Amino acid sequence: HVQLVESGGGSVQAGGSPRLSCAVFGYDFESFCMAWFRQTPGKEREGVASIDSGGNTDYRNPVTGRFTISRDNAKNTLYLQMDSLNAEDTGTYYCAAGRWDGTSLNKLGYYLWGQGTQVTVS
């Protein structure tokens, strides 16, 4: 049974630096791409950052230089370090897994999703 479980969200002050985690169960984590997506009410889910099995990364422009995606294959865990948060970073963050290797911010490339964790920047 494959499961992605996010944690680390909450209410954060502008300028804060929370770290999101995504624990992955029942999945060949180290072989495939992973990503973080964000969704706000009334908007499409958009890719924030992605990472391939080799650690190559891709970021949406507004978060480049502020967010860092990483993975710990020994712990089957994906991370998103978020720095210098602003109000536009508010949203529900979802962890996603693909069945291929590479980087992509397109949600069509991912078939497994976590339940989401809310990040509210004030």
Side-chain angles (χ1 to χ4, degrees):
H1 176 64
V2 181
Q3 195 173 12
L4 282 63
V5 181
E6 299 101 334
S7 60
S11 294
V12 185
Q13 288 191 333
S17 298
R19 186 177 77 162
L20 305 183
S21 298
C22 173
V24 181
F25 304 93
Y27 179 73
D28 188 8
F29 177 82
E30 64 182 12
S31 297
F32 300 117
C33 58
M34 298 290 298
W36 288 97
F37 284 74
R38 176 176 64 214
Q39 191 166 22
T40 54
K43 292 189 176 181
E44 291 285 325
R45 190 171 298 186
E46 61 181 12
V48 174
S50 68
I51 186 169
D52 68 11
S53 66
N56 298 300
T57 58
D58 189 20
Y59 297 93
R60 179 171 294 276
N61 281 339
V63 310
T64 300
R66 298 190 298 119
F67 290 10
T68 302
I69 187 172
S70 62
R71 62 195 300 163
D72 186 333
N73 290 339
K75 295 182 178 180
N76 276 21
T77 301
L78 181 73
Y79 301 101
L80 185 67
Q81 177 66 48
M82 309 166 72
D83 296 322
S84 303
L85 285 183
N86 57 58
E88 284 71 40
D89 298 319
T90 293
T92 302
Y93 284 75
Y94 296 89
C95 171
R99 242 186 303 208
W100 56 287
D101 197 17
T103 60
S104 175
L105 300 179
N106 188 331
K107 63 184 179 184
L108 297 179
Y110 300 88
Y111 84 114
L112 293 172
W113 296 86
Q115 81 287 353
T117 184
Q118 177 68 32
V119 175
T120 302
V121 184
S122 59

